[in-house]
Amino acid sequence: MASLDDLKKRIASVKSTQKITKAMKMVAAAKLRRAQESAEKGRPYSEKMNNVILNLSSGISDKENAPKLLSGSGNDKVHLCVVMTSDRGLCGGFNSNIIKKAKSYFAKLSEEGKDLKIVTVGSKGNDQLKRAYGDKIIANMSFKESKNANYFDAEKVGKMVIEKFESEEFDVCTIFYNQFKNVITQIPQAQQIIPLNTENSEENKSEDNYEFEPDEDEILSNLLPKNISTQIFKAMLENSASEQGSRMSAMDNATRNAGEMVD
């Protein structure tokens, strides 16, 4: 049985940990407000860009010669999966939920006989996937030095994806991230960005009537690469808010558990 002195030392140790988790919760709460605001502002922009592209694509007369980023390579054999996680831990199930969603997708591709290539954005995702899928990971990108999610980092990922597509290294690209709903709930997402998913084009297409100048093909050749980076940036913003929300919830639970242990 522990002596009184041992118990006092343990209580002091737990209280010290409790102060740290409480401070981390407050920092996460402060960061969450900014991250949530950025994510909410980014959603209409990315959705509107998708809608404009869908409007443009419906006006293309020669579908066979449409830009490949829109129509695809014509094959569905090699899939590139961009798994976007955080570079830091202590954020509850934030990273593991994204990895779980991605692994489920990987298993589906394997059953269908498709080839898989993986790009990880964030060290935590790379750490979890390299055990089982180390031979499938072709690149790992980390933006640990960036304080906030920004378009320049998203553009780096977007350019790399486009370069690999143009060199015919894959046929379909899907990104994985967490969509922020609230502090308690973050929803794992799998979004196809190459070729552009037009399955729900009639539902998503804007009702506004636009006249485009110059022609649709020329606008799409400039807009489609920008849309790849925009969708990745939106995913980064959603991830940033989801990470802080998940960390705030996890640190709140840890603080309360420490209090119960002291009692």
Side-chain angles (χ1 to χ4, degrees):
M1 185 176 176
S3 67
L4 187 62
D5 189 50
D6 290 335
L7 288 174
K8 284 180 178 179
K9 287 178 180 177
R10 191 176 178 192
I11 287 172
S13 176
V14 172
K15 283 185 176 179
S16 178
T17 302
Q18 186 181 35
K19 288 178 182 178
I20 295 170
T21 57
K22 189 175 182 179
M24 289 184 69
K25 174 194 169 185
M26 293 172 69
V27 171
K31 289 183 176 179
L32 174 62
R33 283 191 285 271
R34 294 193 296 269
Q36 182 178 351
E37 187 178 336
S38 297
E40 289 172 350
K41 286 181 177 178
R43 288 171 191 165
Y45 183 80
S46 61
E47 288 170 7
K48 193 68 174 178
M49 179 169 278
N50 253 341
N51 291 341
V52 169
I53 290 174
L54 289 171
N55 271 282
L56 284 163
S57 62
S58 64
I60 295 176
S61 54
D62 188 2
K63 300 288 185 183
E64 292 183 2
N65 293 320
K68 285 190 174 182
L69 286 174
L70 178 67
S71 61
S73 62
N75 296 315
D76 187 29
K77 179 65 178 172
V78 183
H79 285 246
L80 178 70
C81 294
V82 182
V83 184
M84 306 173 70
T85 57
S86 70
D87 286 302
R88 298 173 181 84
L90 297 175
C91 48
F94 168 76
N95 291 309
S96 57
N97 288 340
I98 298 173
I99 298 301
K100 186 178 179 181
K101 178 80 173 178
K103 283 183 175 179
S104 175
Y105 188 82
F106 299 163
K108 180 185 173 186
L109 291 178
S110 179
E111 289 173 4
E112 295 173 356
K114 306 288 175 66
D115 293 333
L116 171 66
K117 293 183 178 180
I118 302 171
V119 171
T120 57
V121 180
S123 58
K124 292 299 177 182
N126 184 64
D127 291 343
Q128 291 192 43
L129 287 173
K130 68 182 179 183
R131 301 188 194 100
Y133 297 94
D135 58 326
K136 305 291 185 183
I137 298 174
I138 59 173
N140 173 42
M141 304 184 76
S142 175
F143 301 110
K144 195 176 289 185
E145 69 282 355
S146 300
K147 291 184 178 180
N148 300 306
N150 61 80
Y151 184 78
F152 300 106
D153 290 341
E155 198 169 33
K156 290 176 186 175
V157 180
K159 284 180 178 178
M160 182 197 67
V161 169
I162 292 170
E163 284 172 7
K164 291 186 180 299
F165 180 71
E166 290 176 345
S167 59
E168 299 181 351
E169 293 185 34
F170 68 89
D171 303 310
V172 179
C173 179
T174 305
I175 58 174
F176 296 85
Y177 63 96
N178 262 336
Q179 182 183 35
F180 179 81
K181 187 173 182 181
N182 53 49
V183 175
I184 305 298
T185 309
Q186 299 87 36
I187 307 168
Q189 300 289 320
Q191 179 184 348
Q192 181 178 307
I193 57 173
I194 299 177
L196 188 68
N197 192 348
T198 58
E199 288 181 3
N200 301 319
S201 59
E202 293 303 316
E203 296 176 17
N204 297 330
K205 198 163 57 177
S206 173
E207 295 179 358
D208 299 330
N209 292 317
Y210 297 105
E211 290 185 9
F212 296 103
E213 182 70 29
D215 61 21
E216 286 86 351
D217 291 342
E218 191 172 340
I219 297 174
L220 280 171
S221 64
N222 289 298
L223 201 60
L224 283 167
K226 187 176 179 66
N227 183 55
I228 301 298
S229 297
T230 299
Q231 298 307 320
I232 291 171
F233 181 44
K234 178 201 73 175
M236 284 183 167
L237 291 174
E238 294 283 353
N239 258 5
S240 180
S242 297
E243 179 188 351
Q244 299 306 331
S246 186
R247 179 172 288 116
M248 180 181 167
S249 180
M251 291 302 102
D252 181 53
N253 289 335
T255 302
R256 282 191 282 105
N257 289 343
E260 289 173 7
M261 188 178 290
V262 169
D263 293 340

